[in-house]
Short mmCIF file of all heavy atoms in Angstrom, two decimals:
data_model
loop_
_atom_site.label_atom_id
_atom_site.label_comp_id
_atom_site.label_asym_id
_atom_site.label_seq_id
_atom_site.Cartn_x
_atom_site.Cartn_y
_atom_site.Cartn_z
N MET E 1426 0.78 -1.19 0.00
CA MET E 1426 -0.06 -0.02 0.06
C MET E 1426 0.94 1.22 0.06
O MET E 1426 1.84 1.28 0.73
CB MET E 1426 -0.90 0.07 1.22
CG MET E 1426 -1.83 1.16 1.30
SD MET E 1426 -2.69 1.23 2.88
CE MET E 1426 -3.88 -0.12 2.72
N MET E 1427 0.59 2.30 -0.80
CA MET E 1427 1.26 3.41 -0.80
C MET E 1427 0.46 4.58 0.00
O MET E 1427 -0.67 4.61 0.06
CB MET E 1427 1.45 3.94 -2.36
CG MET E 1427 2.42 3.07 -3.13
SD MET E 1427 2.70 3.73 -4.65
CE MET E 1427 3.31 5.38 -4.27
N LEU E 1428 1.39 5.38 0.62
CA LEU E 1428 0.79 6.49 1.37
C LEU E 1428 0.14 7.62 0.45
O LEU E 1428 0.80 7.94 -0.50
CB LEU E 1428 1.97 7.16 2.12
CG LEU E 1428 1.49 8.27 3.10
CD1 LEU E 1428 0.62 7.67 4.24
CD2 LEU E 1428 2.82 8.96 3.77
N ILE E 1429 -1.12 7.92 0.75
CA ILE E 1429 -1.78 8.87 -0.02
C ILE E 1429 -1.43 10.24 0.47
O ILE E 1429 -1.62 10.45 1.68
CB ILE E 1429 -3.31 8.76 0.04
CG1 ILE E 1429 -3.79 7.36 -0.54
CG2 ILE E 1429 -4.01 9.80 -0.65
CD1 ILE E 1429 -5.21 6.94 -0.22
N THR E 1430 -0.74 11.08 -0.35
CA THR E 1430 -0.35 12.44 0.14
C THR E 1430 -1.18 13.62 -0.38
O THR E 1430 -1.10 14.72 -0.03
CB THR E 1430 1.11 12.65 -0.08
OG1 THR E 1430 1.22 12.52 -1.59
CG2 THR E 1430 1.99 11.59 0.50
N GLU E 1431 -2.13 13.24 -1.21
CA GLU E 1431 -3.04 14.29 -1.93
C GLU E 1431 -4.15 14.35 -1.08
O GLU E 1431 -4.70 13.23 -0.46
CB GLU E 1431 -3.23 14.06 -3.32
CG GLU E 1431 -2.01 14.08 -4.16
CD GLU E 1431 -2.23 13.90 -5.66
OE1 GLU E 1431 -3.39 13.91 -6.07
OE2 GLU E 1431 -1.25 13.70 -6.32
N THR E 1432 -5.04 15.38 -1.02
CA THR E 1432 -6.19 15.55 -0.31
C THR E 1432 -7.13 14.38 -0.54
O THR E 1432 -7.43 14.04 -1.72
CB THR E 1432 -7.00 16.72 -0.54
OG1 THR E 1432 -6.15 17.90 -0.25
CG2 THR E 1432 -8.22 16.91 0.34
N ASN E 1433 -7.55 13.56 0.47
CA ASN E 1433 -8.26 12.34 0.32
C ASN E 1433 -9.71 12.47 1.13
O ASN E 1433 -10.28 11.36 1.27
CB ASN E 1433 -7.42 11.11 0.62
CG ASN E 1433 -8.18 9.71 0.28
OD1 ASN E 1433 -8.94 9.72 -0.74
ND2 ASN E 1433 -8.01 8.77 1.06
N LEU E 1434 -9.83 13.57 1.86
CA LEU E 1434 -10.98 13.67 2.80
C LEU E 1434 -12.14 14.18 2.02
O LEU E 1434 -11.99 15.17 1.12
CB LEU E 1434 -10.65 14.73 3.86
CG LEU E 1434 -9.71 14.27 4.87
CD1 LEU E 1434 -9.04 15.42 5.72
CD2 LEU E 1434 -10.04 13.16 5.78
N SER E 1435 -13.35 13.69 2.21
CA SER E 1435 -14.51 14.09 1.44
C SER E 1435 -14.90 15.57 1.87
O SER E 1435 -15.46 16.28 1.15
CB SER E 1435 -15.69 13.19 1.73
OG SER E 1435 -16.00 13.22 3.09
N SER E 1436 -14.47 16.02 3.09
CA SER E 1436 -14.84 17.31 3.65
C SER E 1436 -13.68 17.72 4.53
O SER E 1436 -13.88 17.76 5.83
CB SER E 1436 -16.18 17.31 4.38
OG SER E 1436 -16.46 18.55 4.72
N PRO E 1437 -12.54 18.16 3.87
CA PRO E 1437 -11.32 18.51 4.77
C PRO E 1437 -11.61 19.57 5.68
O PRO E 1437 -11.09 19.64 6.79
CB PRO E 1437 -10.34 18.89 3.76
CG PRO E 1437 -11.03 19.03 2.38
CD PRO E 1437 -12.22 18.35 2.47
N ASP E 1438 -12.44 20.67 5.35
CA ASP E 1438 -12.69 21.79 6.24
C ASP E 1438 -13.46 21.23 7.43
O ASP E 1438 -13.21 21.84 8.51
CB ASP E 1438 -13.57 22.83 5.46
CG ASP E 1438 -12.67 23.59 4.35
OD1 ASP E 1438 -11.36 23.63 4.59
OD2 ASP E 1438 -13.24 24.22 3.54
N ASP E 1439 -14.38 20.31 7.32
CA ASP E 1439 -15.11 19.83 8.40
C ASP E 1439 -14.15 19.07 9.28
O ASP E 1439 -14.30 19.19 10.61
CB ASP E 1439 -16.29 18.93 7.99
CG ASP E 1439 -17.47 19.62 7.34
OD1 ASP E 1439 -17.51 20.92 7.46
OD2 ASP E 1439 -18.30 19.00 6.63
N PHE E 1440 -13.32 18.36 8.77
CA PHE E 1440 -12.42 17.51 9.75
C PHE E 1440 -11.38 18.58 10.33
O PHE E 1440 -11.14 18.47 11.57
CB PHE E 1440 -11.43 16.54 8.89
CG PHE E 1440 -10.30 16.16 9.70
CD1 PHE E 1440 -10.56 15.15 10.64
CD2 PHE E 1440 -9.01 16.64 9.47
CE1 PHE E 1440 -9.61 14.64 11.41
CE2 PHE E 1440 -7.95 16.07 10.40
CZ PHE E 1440 -8.25 15.16 11.33
N TYR E 1441 -10.95 19.63 9.74
CA TYR E 1441 -10.02 20.62 10.33
C TYR E 1441 -10.87 21.20 11.52
O TYR E 1441 -10.20 21.42 12.57
CB TYR E 1441 -9.56 21.55 9.29
CG TYR E 1441 -8.63 22.54 9.96
CD1 TYR E 1441 -7.31 22.26 10.28
CD2 TYR E 1441 -8.98 23.94 10.25
CE1 TYR E 1441 -6.39 23.19 10.80
CE2 TYR E 1441 -8.14 24.88 10.83
CZ TYR E 1441 -6.84 24.36 11.11
OH TYR E 1441 -6.08 25.32 11.63
N GLU E 1442 -12.03 21.65 11.29
CA GLU E 1442 -12.89 22.27 12.35
C GLU E 1442 -13.02 21.37 13.50
O GLU E 1442 -12.86 21.68 14.70
CB GLU E 1442 -14.28 22.66 11.70
CG GLU E 1442 -15.04 23.38 12.69
CD GLU E 1442 -16.44 23.84 12.12
OE1 GLU E 1442 -16.63 23.90 10.90
OE2 GLU E 1442 -17.33 24.11 13.04
N ALA E 1443 -13.25 20.02 13.21
CA ALA E 1443 -13.50 19.11 14.34
C ALA E 1443 -12.16 18.95 15.16
O ALA E 1443 -12.14 18.71 16.28
CB ALA E 1443 -13.95 17.69 13.73
N LEU E 1444 -11.01 19.00 14.31
CA LEU E 1444 -9.78 18.80 15.02
C LEU E 1444 -9.48 20.02 15.94
O LEU E 1444 -9.06 19.81 17.14
CB LEU E 1444 -8.62 18.66 14.00
CG LEU E 1444 -7.22 18.55 14.54
CD1 LEU E 1444 -6.98 17.32 15.30
CD2 LEU E 1444 -6.20 18.55 13.23
N ILE E 1445 -9.79 21.21 15.48
CA ILE E 1445 -9.59 22.48 16.17
C ILE E 1445 -10.50 22.51 17.47
O ILE E 1445 -10.10 22.70 18.48
CB ILE E 1445 -9.79 23.69 15.38
CG1 ILE E 1445 -8.68 23.81 14.31
CG2 ILE E 1445 -9.72 24.98 16.25
CD1 ILE E 1445 -7.27 23.75 14.68
N ASP E 1446 -11.75 22.05 17.23
CA ASP E 1446 -12.73 21.97 18.33
C ASP E 1446 -12.29 20.95 19.42
O ASP E 1446 -12.44 21.17 20.59
CB ASP E 1446 -14.18 21.60 17.87
CG ASP E 1446 -14.75 22.70 17.06
OD1 ASP E 1446 -14.34 23.87 17.21
OD2 ASP E 1446 -15.74 22.37 16.36
N THR E 1447 -11.63 19.88 18.91
CA THR E 1447 -11.22 18.82 19.97
C THR E 1447 -10.10 19.37 20.86
O THR E 1447 -9.95 18.97 21.97
CB THR E 1447 -10.67 17.62 19.22
OG1 THR E 1447 -11.85 17.06 18.34
CG2 THR E 1447 -10.26 16.49 20.12
N HIS E 1448 -9.28 20.32 20.40
CA HIS E 1448 -8.18 20.96 21.10
C HIS E 1448 -8.69 22.06 21.95
O HIS E 1448 -7.84 22.50 22.81
CB HIS E 1448 -7.01 21.36 20.04
CG HIS E 1448 -6.11 20.12 19.64
ND1 HIS E 1448 -5.13 19.76 20.23
CD2 HIS E 1448 -6.39 19.37 18.53
CE1 HIS E 1448 -4.54 18.66 19.62
NE2 HIS E 1448 -5.31 18.38 18.62
N ARG E 1449 -9.76 22.61 21.71
CA ARG E 1449 -10.19 23.91 22.30
C ARG E 1449 -10.27 23.67 23.89
O ARG E 1449 -10.70 22.77 24.35
CB ARG E 1449 -11.71 24.18 21.79
CG ARG E 1449 -12.01 25.54 22.22
CD ARG E 1449 -13.33 26.11 21.71
NE ARG E 1449 -13.57 25.68 20.26
CZ ARG E 1449 -13.04 26.23 19.12
NH1 ARG E 1449 -12.15 27.26 19.41
NH2 ARG E 1449 -13.35 25.81 17.99
N ASP E 1450 -9.65 24.73 24.47
CA ASP E 1450 -9.65 24.74 25.92
C ASP E 1450 -8.66 23.75 26.61
O ASP E 1450 -8.72 23.52 27.88
CB ASP E 1450 -11.01 24.66 26.59
CG ASP E 1450 -11.99 25.79 26.13
OD1 ASP E 1450 -11.50 26.88 25.92
OD2 ASP E 1450 -13.24 25.41 25.98
N LEU E 1451 -7.87 23.12 25.84
CA LEU E 1451 -6.88 22.13 26.40
C LEU E 1451 -5.55 22.89 26.75
O LEU E 1451 -5.23 23.92 26.03
CB LEU E 1451 -6.57 21.02 25.41
CG LEU E 1451 -7.62 20.07 25.17
CD1 LEU E 1451 -7.21 19.00 24.24
CD2 LEU E 1451 -8.33 19.48 26.46
N THR E 1452 -4.89 22.57 27.71
CA THR E 1452 -3.57 23.07 27.99
C THR E 1452 -2.60 22.63 26.78
O THR E 1452 -2.97 21.61 26.05
CB THR E 1452 -2.93 22.63 29.25
OG1 THR E 1452 -2.77 21.11 29.19
CG2 THR E 1452 -3.88 22.94 30.51
N ASN E 1453 -1.49 23.13 26.73
CA ASN E 1453 -0.45 22.65 25.64
C ASN E 1453 -0.10 21.22 25.95
O ASN E 1453 -0.07 20.45 24.94
CB ASN E 1453 0.78 23.49 25.60
CG ASN E 1453 1.70 23.21 24.57
OD1 ASN E 1453 1.31 23.04 23.28
ND2 ASN E 1453 3.05 23.12 24.79
N GLU E 1454 0.09 20.93 27.17
CA GLU E 1454 0.31 19.45 27.51
C GLU E 1454 -0.69 18.56 27.19
O GLU E 1454 -0.58 17.44 26.54
CB GLU E 1454 0.77 19.35 29.04
CG GLU E 1454 1.14 17.81 29.32
CD GLU E 1454 1.48 17.78 30.85
OE1 GLU E 1454 2.40 18.52 31.30
OE2 GLU E 1454 0.85 17.00 31.56
N GLN E 1455 -1.99 18.91 27.46
CA GLN E 1455 -3.19 18.06 27.07
C GLN E 1455 -3.25 17.93 25.54
O GLN E 1455 -3.62 16.80 25.05
CB GLN E 1455 -4.45 18.62 27.75
CG GLN E 1455 -4.52 18.53 29.17
CD GLN E 1455 -5.73 19.39 29.66
OE1 GLN E 1455 -6.00 20.58 29.33
NE2 GLN E 1455 -6.45 18.76 30.61
N SER E 1456 -3.17 19.00 24.87
CA SER E 1456 -3.16 19.06 23.35
C SER E 1456 -2.06 18.11 22.81
O SER E 1456 -2.31 17.28 21.96
CB SER E 1456 -2.90 20.42 22.89
OG SER E 1456 -3.08 20.49 21.59
N GLN E 1457 -0.84 17.95 23.36
CA GLN E 1457 0.06 17.24 22.84
C GLN E 1457 -0.24 15.70 23.22
O GLN E 1457 -0.07 14.83 22.35
CB GLN E 1457 1.55 17.45 23.51
CG GLN E 1457 2.15 18.77 23.01
CD GLN E 1457 3.34 19.20 23.72
OE1 GLN E 1457 3.97 18.36 24.47
NE2 GLN E 1457 3.88 20.40 23.52
N GLU E 1458 -0.81 15.49 24.42
CA GLU E 1458 -1.25 14.14 24.72
C GLU E 1458 -2.38 13.68 23.71
O GLU E 1458 -2.37 12.58 23.35
CB GLU E 1458 -1.71 14.10 26.11
CG GLU E 1458 -0.51 14.17 27.16
CD GLU E 1458 -1.03 14.15 28.57
OE1 GLU E 1458 -2.23 13.89 28.81
OE2 GLU E 1458 -0.21 14.51 29.46
N LEU E 1459 -3.27 14.59 23.47
CA LEU E 1459 -4.40 14.21 22.55
C LEU E 1459 -3.78 13.87 21.10
O LEU E 1459 -4.25 12.85 20.50
CB LEU E 1459 -5.30 15.40 22.38
CG LEU E 1459 -6.55 15.26 21.46
CD1 LEU E 1459 -7.73 15.99 22.10
CD2 LEU E 1459 -6.30 15.64 20.10
N ASN E 1460 -2.81 14.69 20.66
CA ASN E 1460 -2.18 14.37 19.46
C ASN E 1460 -1.50 12.96 19.42
O ASN E 1460 -1.64 12.16 18.50
CB ASN E 1460 -1.16 15.37 19.04
CG ASN E 1460 -1.73 16.78 18.46
OD1 ASN E 1460 -2.87 16.70 18.06
ND2 ASN E 1460 -1.09 17.80 18.69
N ALA E 1461 -0.79 12.70 20.57
CA ALA E 1461 -0.20 11.35 20.65
C ALA E 1461 -1.17 10.20 20.62
O ALA E 1461 -1.02 9.11 19.99
CB ALA E 1461 0.70 11.29 21.88
N ALA E 1462 -2.35 10.48 21.44
CA ALA E 1462 -3.41 9.46 21.42
C ALA E 1462 -4.02 9.23 19.98
O ALA E 1462 -4.27 8.13 19.54
CB ALA E 1462 -4.43 9.76 22.50
N LEU E 1463 -4.30 10.40 19.30
CA LEU E 1463 -4.88 10.23 18.03
C LEU E 1463 -3.94 9.56 17.05
O LEU E 1463 -4.36 8.71 16.27
CB LEU E 1463 -5.08 11.71 17.42
CG LEU E 1463 -5.76 11.79 16.06
CD1 LEU E 1463 -7.04 11.14 16.03
CD2 LEU E 1463 -5.91 13.26 15.72
N ILE E 1464 -2.56 9.82 16.98
CA ILE E 1464 -1.64 9.24 16.18
C ILE E 1464 -1.69 7.73 16.45
O ILE E 1464 -1.64 6.87 15.48
CB ILE E 1464 -0.26 9.78 16.36
CG1 ILE E 1464 -0.16 11.28 15.81
CG2 ILE E 1464 0.81 8.95 15.77
CD1 ILE E 1464 1.07 12.04 16.34
N LEU E 1465 -1.55 7.25 17.80
CA LEU E 1465 -1.56 5.85 18.04
C LEU E 1465 -2.83 5.17 17.61
O LEU E 1465 -2.86 4.02 17.10
CB LEU E 1465 -1.31 5.66 19.48
CG LEU E 1465 0.14 6.01 20.00
CD1 LEU E 1465 0.18 5.96 21.58
CD2 LEU E 1465 1.13 5.18 19.31
N LEU E 1466 -4.08 5.86 17.86
CA LEU E 1466 -5.38 5.18 17.34
C LEU E 1466 -5.22 5.00 15.89
O LEU E 1466 -5.74 4.02 15.36
CB LEU E 1466 -6.49 6.16 17.82
CG LEU E 1466 -6.83 6.09 19.31
CD1 LEU E 1466 -7.82 7.19 19.58
CD2 LEU E 1466 -7.56 4.73 19.63
N LEU E 1467 -4.81 6.06 15.08
CA LEU E 1467 -4.93 5.98 13.65
C LEU E 1467 -3.84 5.06 13.14
O LEU E 1467 -4.12 4.30 12.18
CB LEU E 1467 -4.73 7.37 13.04
CG LEU E 1467 -5.89 8.23 13.35
CD1 LEU E 1467 -5.55 9.74 12.71
CD2 LEU E 1467 -7.20 7.77 12.74
N ALA E 1468 -2.70 5.02 13.72
CA ALA E 1468 -1.65 4.01 13.46
C ALA E 1468 -2.15 2.61 13.58
O ALA E 1468 -1.96 1.72 12.76
CB ALA E 1468 -0.33 4.24 14.18
N ASN E 1469 -2.81 2.32 14.65
CA ASN E 1469 -3.36 1.01 14.90
C ASN E 1469 -4.40 0.62 13.96
O ASN E 1469 -4.50 -0.49 13.48
CB ASN E 1469 -3.93 0.94 16.43
CG ASN E 1469 -4.51 -0.45 16.69
OD1 ASN E 1469 -3.75 -1.36 16.77
ND2 ASN E 1469 -5.78 -0.59 16.92
N HIS E 1470 -5.18 1.61 13.55
CA HIS E 1470 -6.20 1.40 12.56
C HIS E 1470 -5.69 0.99 11.19
O HIS E 1470 -6.15 0.09 10.54
CB HIS E 1470 -7.17 2.58 12.34
CG HIS E 1470 -8.24 2.51 11.38
ND1 HIS E 1470 -9.42 1.73 11.67
CD2 HIS E 1470 -8.39 2.94 10.08
CE1 HIS E 1470 -10.07 1.76 10.61
NE2 HIS E 1470 -9.63 2.42 9.60
N LEU E 1471 -4.50 1.72 10.83
CA LEU E 1471 -3.91 1.45 9.60
C LEU E 1471 -3.21 0.10 9.71
O LEU E 1471 -3.30 -0.77 8.82
CB LEU E 1471 -2.87 2.47 9.21
CG LEU E 1471 -3.47 3.86 8.75
CD1 LEU E 1471 -2.29 4.83 8.66
CD2 LEU E 1471 -4.22 3.66 7.48
N GLY E 1472 -2.50 -0.16 10.64
CA GLY E 1472 -1.76 -1.49 10.96
C GLY E 1472 -0.73 -1.94 10.06
O GLY E 1472 -0.13 -2.98 10.20
N ASP E 1473 -0.31 -1.05 9.12
CA ASP E 1473 0.80 -1.42 8.13
C ASP E 1473 2.05 -0.74 8.51
O ASP E 1473 2.10 0.55 8.36
CB ASP E 1473 0.29 -0.99 6.75
CG ASP E 1473 1.23 -1.33 5.67
OD1 ASP E 1473 2.65 -1.39 5.94
OD2 ASP E 1473 0.82 -1.60 4.54
N VAL E 1474 3.00 -1.40 9.13
CA VAL E 1474 4.15 -0.69 9.63
C VAL E 1474 5.00 0.00 8.50
O VAL E 1474 5.52 1.04 8.73
CB VAL E 1474 5.05 -1.69 10.49
CG1 VAL E 1474 6.40 -1.15 10.93
CG2 VAL E 1474 4.35 -2.25 11.62
N ALA E 1475 5.04 -0.62 7.41
CA ALA E 1475 5.83 0.08 6.29
C ALA E 1475 5.19 1.36 5.88
O ALA E 1475 5.86 2.35 5.77
CB ALA E 1475 5.91 -0.92 5.12
N LEU E 1476 3.76 1.38 5.83
CA LEU E 1476 3.09 2.58 5.50
C LEU E 1476 3.33 3.61 6.55
O LEU E 1476 3.66 4.85 6.34
CB LEU E 1476 1.76 2.31 5.33
CG LEU E 1476 0.77 3.46 4.95
CD1 LEU E 1476 1.08 3.88 3.60
CD2 LEU E 1476 -0.67 2.98 5.07
N LEU E 1477 3.28 3.23 7.79
CA LEU E 1477 3.63 4.07 8.93
C LEU E 1477 4.89 4.77 9.07
O LEU E 1477 5.15 5.89 9.21
CB LEU E 1477 3.12 3.52 10.28
CG LEU E 1477 1.64 3.08 10.45
CD1 LEU E 1477 1.45 2.15 11.59
CD2 LEU E 1477 0.92 4.33 10.59
N ARG E 1478 5.92 3.84 8.60
CA ARG E 1478 7.26 4.34 8.53
C ARG E 1478 7.47 5.43 7.51
O ARG E 1478 8.14 6.45 7.59
CB ARG E 1478 8.29 3.19 8.24
CG ARG E 1478 8.54 2.32 9.48
CD ARG E 1478 9.47 1.21 9.06
NE ARG E 1478 9.45 0.12 10.03
CZ ARG E 1478 10.34 0.11 11.07
NH1 ARG E 1478 11.24 0.83 11.22
NH2 ARG E 1478 10.16 -1.04 11.90
N ASP E 1479 6.81 5.20 6.29
CA ASP E 1479 6.78 6.17 5.26
C ASP E 1479 6.09 7.47 5.77
O ASP E 1479 6.71 8.53 5.63
CB ASP E 1479 6.07 5.64 4.09
CG ASP E 1479 6.12 6.47 2.70
OD1 ASP E 1479 7.02 7.41 2.81
OD2 ASP E 1479 5.35 6.31 1.94
N ALA E 1480 5.03 7.29 6.36
CA ALA E 1480 4.37 8.59 6.90
C ALA E 1480 5.23 9.30 7.98
O ALA E 1480 5.27 10.56 8.00
CB ALA E 1480 3.00 8.13 7.54
N LEU E 1481 5.88 8.57 8.82
CA LEU E 1481 6.83 9.23 9.83
C LEU E 1481 7.90 9.94 9.15
O LEU E 1481 8.25 11.10 9.49
CB LEU E 1481 7.37 8.06 10.74
CG LEU E 1481 6.39 7.62 11.73
CD1 LEU E 1481 7.00 6.28 12.36
CD2 LEU E 1481 5.95 8.58 12.81
N GLN E 1482 8.49 9.21 8.14
CA GLN E 1482 9.69 9.83 7.41
C GLN E 1482 9.24 11.20 6.68
O GLN E 1482 9.73 12.21 6.71
CB GLN E 1482 10.16 8.98 6.38
CG GLN E 1482 10.93 7.83 6.99
CD GLN E 1482 11.31 6.78 6.05
OE1 GLN E 1482 11.00 6.81 4.96
NE2 GLN E 1482 12.26 5.81 6.52
N GLN E 1483 8.00 11.15 6.01
CA GLN E 1483 7.40 12.24 5.26
C GLN E 1483 7.11 13.39 6.23
O GLN E 1483 7.34 14.51 5.96
CB GLN E 1483 6.30 11.94 4.42
CG GLN E 1483 6.65 11.01 3.24
CD GLN E 1483 5.65 10.87 2.14
OE1 GLN E 1483 4.93 12.02 1.96
NE2 GLN E 1483 5.35 9.75 1.65
N ALA E 1484 6.57 13.05 7.31
CA ALA E 1484 6.08 14.10 8.36
C ALA E 1484 7.42 14.66 8.97
O ALA E 1484 7.48 16.03 9.07
CB ALA E 1484 5.34 13.39 9.45
N ARG E 1485 8.38 13.95 9.21
CA ARG E 1485 9.68 14.55 9.73
C ARG E 1485 10.37 15.41 8.72
O ARG E 1485 10.79 16.58 8.98
CB ARG E 1485 10.56 13.53 10.15
CG ARG E 1485 11.95 14.02 10.81
CD ARG E 1485 12.85 12.87 11.34
NE ARG E 1485 14.13 13.50 11.70
CZ ARG E 1485 14.37 13.90 12.94
NH1 ARG E 1485 13.37 13.85 13.86
NH2 ARG E 1485 15.58 14.40 13.32
N ALA E 1486 10.36 14.93 7.49
CA ALA E 1486 10.92 15.72 6.36
C ALA E 1486 10.21 17.17 6.18
O ALA E 1486 10.83 18.09 5.73
CB ALA E 1486 10.87 15.01 5.17
N SER E 1487 9.00 17.09 6.49
CA SER E 1487 8.15 18.37 6.43
C SER E 1487 8.51 19.40 7.46
O SER E 1487 8.34 20.63 7.15
CB SER E 1487 6.69 18.13 6.42
OG SER E 1487 6.25 17.86 7.73
N VAL E 1488 9.23 19.03 8.47
CA VAL E 1488 9.57 20.00 9.43
C VAL E 1488 11.07 20.16 9.77
O VAL E 1488 11.60 21.03 10.28
CB VAL E 1488 8.90 19.68 10.90
CG1 VAL E 1488 7.39 19.83 10.81
CG2 VAL E 1488 9.23 18.27 11.39
N VAL E 1489 11.95 19.16 9.22
CA VAL E 1489 13.27 19.12 9.32
C VAL E 1489 13.92 19.02 7.87
O VAL E 1489 13.88 17.86 7.35
CB VAL E 1489 13.78 18.07 10.20
CG1 VAL E 1489 15.37 18.15 10.32
CG2 VAL E 1489 13.25 18.23 11.68
N PRO E 1490 14.27 20.04 7.40
CA PRO E 1490 14.80 19.91 5.92
C PRO E 1490 16.05 19.06 5.95
O PRO E 1490 16.86 18.83 6.90
CB PRO E 1490 15.27 21.30 5.55
CG PRO E 1490 14.61 22.24 6.56
CD PRO E 1490 14.48 21.42 7.83
N ALA E 1491 16.10 18.19 4.77
CA ALA E 1491 17.30 17.28 4.62
C ALA E 1491 18.56 17.90 4.54
O ALA E 1491 18.73 19.04 4.12
CB ALA E 1491 16.94 16.45 3.43
#
């Protein structure tokens, strides 16, 4: 399976709004914990370690230039 990197959400704005709402009124620490929990839940749902490694590499490359 290849990582889909183009928009694949039927309603990306609705998802973004839900994500922001989920973080509303949380401390920075709680927000970081929520992100970690969400990452682990979605990683478990995908279940493909190779795909997850690819996603990790791409996410890191987006914040740390090669």
Side-chain angles (χ1 to χ4, degrees):
M1426 180 187 291
M1427 290 188 55
L1428 185 65
I1429 299 169
T1430 58
E1431 296 180 14
T1432 301
N1433 192 37
L1434 294 167
S1435 60
S1436 185
D1438 291 339
D1439 289 344
F1440 171 72
Y1441 183 75
E1442 183 178 341
L1444 181 62
I1445 296 303
D1446 286 345
T1447 302
H1448 283 270
R1449 192 172 321 282
D1450 300 324
L1451 298 180
T1452 66
N1453 188 47
E1454 183 177 300
Q1455 289 170 320
S1456 185
Q1457 289 177 12
E1458 289 177 11
L1459 183 143
N1460 283 337
L1463 179 60
I1464 289 165
L1465 293 173
L1466 284 166
L1467 293 173
N1469 184 65
H1470 180 75
L1471 289 173
D1473 183 326
V1474 175
L1476 182 68
L1477 292 166
R1478 286 179 197 262
D1479 186 18
L1481 289 167
Q1482 290 172 352
Q1483 288 193 43
R1485 182 175 173 90
S1487 76
V1488 297
V1489 179

